[in-house]
């Protein structure tokens, strides 16, 4: 956007862990201002993709460092260090991969489909442009190999987790994992916790349910955490060879988030001890 | 700066004519905020070059358009149109030219010398990197050829007007002008109206006076407007074959600016009628 490199999911993860995230939007920085965007609007630039002034600093910094030859994974570490994060945040790849959504109106870049057109188009398929040639970021496969546990957060399995799985080597590393893996279903009662996951799954001919999620993650996870509302799907999910945990997965606040995280971690530990 | 193309003089001209300029700084936009710069500082980027959020919109827009293959002159016209300007603002060139200041500490990019190091270094010489290969922007030589009058504003003759004169063809076009040309001396009583002009001229072995300015502009202007304080220099300036107008050139407000502009325009008209 505006010639700047933007990695929306990566940014949101960084901002969230740095306690900078906007709690209501699900993107951007809390209390951010939009003066630069207003200036861009005055100059006739497209402004449907909201970029706050503080948020822009990240994109300007990243773009400059990438153009100077730095790798995305290295710049992500720099940003994390600067924001005081002690954990490692590893992007899926240092290579450029773009999510393209095929609709009856043609191919659309993901943010055009999602933000500009409000996820209204029917999704025929999703492609990850560049993924076939992308290499996993340094340390990513090693992290999977040496992990003591893997959690698939309740993200959109097609367009948030899907691109990661499309990077050659990642799916195989997850299939060959030596540790337990737990996923949390992002679909509750046929609706997504957030975003267009349910509509995308349905229009791509998948079952928009926790069972549909289980099918996507088959061979990749040992346990699927599902909402109480989806308890009736448990037998069908376990039939796929995936254990289940049933709990409240709707995170209305920080307490619910922590409780859900605890369920996932406990599932990892439990599964490990029985392996 | 931060991978963005910035043309400080061009921006200031545009902002001033669009009535957006910050009246006290001499750069940037009135009432601008600095949230993005604060974000960049947090990420460890250099922030000695102040860039406001609204101002950044111009640089982001320009950089994006240039990277997409647009020419500086074309983007400048787009920006002017968008900001409601009806006059034509023509940059000296669509090619990249950078001002480099040679000091006892080595070569410094101009903004490093001027902003970061507060113009404290002794200036041995000034070079315009890329000027020898630069071509005048489309329409520039034609504008000089067809002008009914030319005014050299009281800018720094070395680093503001100098780069323009260094573009091959521009000096010659000005020497062969078919209309009168008037300059306003930026040096009053040996001091610059603004900025480091006097110090630069002195440290480069030039006379830091209206007479020194007259020597730099010899053959390029017919009339030099000098301050009352410099009336004693009039005979020496006229000896160079340059007419003079003596007036108050210190612009403490809009009234003084208008009065000085009127003196310059009247000098053009007068000189034309006697040609």
């Amino acid at each position: 956007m505006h010639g700047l490199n933007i990695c929306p999911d990566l940014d949101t993860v960084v901002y969230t862990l740095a306690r900078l995230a906007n709690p209501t939007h699900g993107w951007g920085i809390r209390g951010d201002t939009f003066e630069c965007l207003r200036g861009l609007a005055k100059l006739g630039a497209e402004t449907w993709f909201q970029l706050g002034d503080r948020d822009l600093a990240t994109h300007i910094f990243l773009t400059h460092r990438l153009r100077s030859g730095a790798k995305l994974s290295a710049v992500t570490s720099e940003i994390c260090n600067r924001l005081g994060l002690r954990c490692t945040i590893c992007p899926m790849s240092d290579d450029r991969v773009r999510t393209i959504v095929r609709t009856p109106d043609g191919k659309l870049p993901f943010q055009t489909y999602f933000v500009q057109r409000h996820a209204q188009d029917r999704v025929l398929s999703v492609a990850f442009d560049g993924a076939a040639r992308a290499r996993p970021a340094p340390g990513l496969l090693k992290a999977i190999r040496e992990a003591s546990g893997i959690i698939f957060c309740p993200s959109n399995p097609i367009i948030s987790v899907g691109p990661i799985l499309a990077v050659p080597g990642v799916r195989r590393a997850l299939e060959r994992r030596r540790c337990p893996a737990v996923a949390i279903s992002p679909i509750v009662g046929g609706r997504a916790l957030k975003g267009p996951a349910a509509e995308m799954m349905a229009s791509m001919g998948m079952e928009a349910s926790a069972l549909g999620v289980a099918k996507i993650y088959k061979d990749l996870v040992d346990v699927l955490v599902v909402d109480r509302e989806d308890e009736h799907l448990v037998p069908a999910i376990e039939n796929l060879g995936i254990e289940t945990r049933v709990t409240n997965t709707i995170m209305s606040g920080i307490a619910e988030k922590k409780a859900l995280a605890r369920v996932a971690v406990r599932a990892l530990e439990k599964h490990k001890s029985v392996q």
Side-chain angles (χ1 to χ4, degrees), chain A:
Chain A
M1 204 75 218
H2 313 300
L4 299 170
N5 292 66
I6 301 176
C7 306
D9 283 2
L10 192 59
D11 295 340
T12 298
V13 170
V14 170
Y15 294 158
T16 300
L17 293 174
R19 297 172 191 258
L20 294 171
N22 183 308
T24 46
H25 288 170
W27 52 263
I29 291 181
R30 196 178 53 231
D32 211 348
T33 52
F34 292 85
E35 293 303 321
C36 185
L37 199 75
R38 242 169 247 144
L40 283 164
K42 242 180 138 172
L43 297 175
E46 290 185 284
T47 53
W48 52 266
F49 195 76
Q50 295 274 300
L51 291 166
D53 298 318
R54 292 264 180 154
D55 189 21
L56 267 167
T58 306
H59 313 314
I60 291 171
F61 182 79
L62 171 64
T63 303
H64 185 36
R65 297 281 296 116
L66 292 180
R67 287 231 167 89
S68 311
K71 299 292 183 194
L72 178 61
S73 52
V75 184
T76 302
S77 291
E78 288 172 32
I79 292 173
C80 287
N81 284 337
R82 279 288 172 171
L83 298 182
L85 291 182
R86 286 193 221 147
C87 56
T88 299
I89 297 179
C90 183
M92 66 185 204
S93 178
D94 283 338
D95 300 315
R96 186 177 166 85
V97 178
R98 298 178 75 218
T99 302
I100 306 293
V101 178
R102 200 163 61 84
T103 73
D105 273 8
K107 291 179 182 180
L108 302 174
F110 176 71
Q111 298 294 343
T112 304
Y113 155 79
F114 183 50
V115 182
Q116 192 178 19
R117 296 166 68 109
H118 309 288
Q120 298 291 313
D121 299 88
R122 194 153 64 84
V123 177
L124 303 174
S125 63
V126 174
F128 306 115
D129 208 21
R133 291 179 311 279
R135 288 150 303 176
L140 177 59
L141 298 187
K142 186 165 177 278
I144 294 173
R145 242 180 355 251
E146 299 180 358
S148 57
I150 297 168
I151 298 177
F152 288 56
C153 293
S155 274
N156 187 318
I158 300 165
I159 45 114
S160 292
V161 179
I164 303 173
L165 298 176
V167 175
V170 173
R171 174 179 285 276
R172 198 182 157 100
L174 286 166
E175 285 168 354
R176 298 184 169 189
R177 69 194 175 279
R178 301 181 198 145
C179 68
V182 170
I184 299 157
S185 173
I187 306 285
V188 173
R191 295 178 309 281
L193 283 171
K194 206 178 81 179
E199 294 74 10
M200 290 189 99
M201 290 174 75
S203 68
M204 287 170 75
M206 298 171 185
E207 202 173 325
S209 72
L211 178 57
V213 173
K215 287 177 180 167
I216 294 174
Y217 288 156
K218 195 172 153 10
D219 300 327
L220 301 176
V221 303
D222 306 293
V223 185
L224 185 65
V225 179
V226 302
D227 196 81
R228 291 192 211 287
E229 200 178 321
D230 294 320
E231 194 154 13
H232 62 286
L233 297 171
V234 163
I237 294 169
E238 301 215 323
N239 251 347
L240 296 170
I242 298 176
E243 279 180 42
T244 53
R245 293 291 183 281
V246 179
T247 187
N248 171 35
T249 65
I250 298 182
M251 294 167 282
S252 33
I254 191 73
E256 289 83 355
K257 288 184 186 188
K258 284 185 175 174
L260 181 57
R262 258 182 239 114
V263 169
V265 170
R266 240 181 277 127
L268 280 179
E269 283 164 357
K270 177 77 183 302
H271 194 90
K272 199 166 197 174
S273 66
V274 299
Q275 260 185 328

